[in-house]
Amino acid sequence: MKNRKKATSAGASRKTGRRQGRSSRAAVSKAAAAAKAAAAAKAAGAAKKADAAKKPGREPSDGVFKLPAECVVSGAGSLKADLARIIGCAEPVTLDAEQVQRIDTAALQVVASFVQERDKDGHATVWMGGAQALVSAAKLLGLSEILRLPAESVPAEVKA
């Protein structure tokens, strides 16, 4: 009887070993597939960014960059990418805020960062069309000076 039990135990060990071998090969195979999928996704993302850079209307015409009417967190990433393409432009860049109807903190942070970087590099940034939404939000958040908004664009009811 004892011999049978030992044989059964040994057989069970061999079966377990085979199972472990299969499961580790499956895990390696799954990991390789996941790495391959991640690489493909990364390549697709790079291609998408390259296509976005080629889109017409993304570059400022005559040094004027038009801010979108809705400057909100959902568009902050594309706003940042658009501004990043012109951040090193040696000529003055005019930010046209005439169309801005709504702007949130995320978009203001992106624009403030853009203006600060250009200032740091000695490049001028000027404003055109001080939209009420932009001016009010900048004043409320204390960003008017950082954004270098002209004093005359701040309405009397917003001035401190």
Side-chain angles (χ1 to χ4, degrees):
M1 283 292 225
K2 288 183 182 180
N3 287 341
R4 277 189 172 175
K5 285 184 180 179
K6 284 184 182 178
T8 306
S9 309
S13 297
R14 276 185 252 135
K15 286 180 184 176
T16 305
R18 278 189 240 136
R19 281 191 208 127
Q20 286 175 348
R22 281 189 217 135
S23 65
S24 66
R25 278 180 284 195
V28 169
S29 178
K30 284 181 183 178
K36 194 174 184 179
K42 187 175 180 182
K48 197 175 192 180
K49 283 183 183 178
D51 288 344
K54 293 177 188 174
K55 286 183 183 176
R58 298 299 231 182
E59 297 297 320
S61 58
D62 301 329
V64 177
F65 181 87
K66 292 185 180 213
L67 291 170
E70 296 286 317
C71 292
V72 292
V73 69
S74 61
S78 66
L79 177 62
K80 180 180 177 185
D82 292 344
L83 291 173
R85 283 193 274 284
I86 61 170
I87 199 162
C89 183
E91 299 84 32
V93 170
T94 301
L95 296 176
D96 182 356
E98 189 173 338
Q99 301 293 323
V100 177
Q101 295 174 0
R102 206 171 109 193
I103 189 162
D104 65 10
T105 305
L108 273 172
Q109 287 174 331
V110 169
V111 176
S113 177
F114 172 79
V115 172
Q116 283 183 313
E117 274 300 306
R118 287 190 50 83
D119 281 352
K120 187 178 86 175
D121 294 340
H123 303 307
T125 305
V126 294
W127 288 94
M128 178 169 71
Q132 178 67 36
L134 171 77
V135 174
S136 297
K139 181 70 177 172
L140 181 68
L141 295 170
L143 293 174
S144 297
E145 286 184 37
I146 292 171
L147 290 169
R148 304 226 182 269
L149 291 174
E152 65 272 3
S153 70
V154 181
E157 67 271 7
V158 178
K159 288 183 180 177

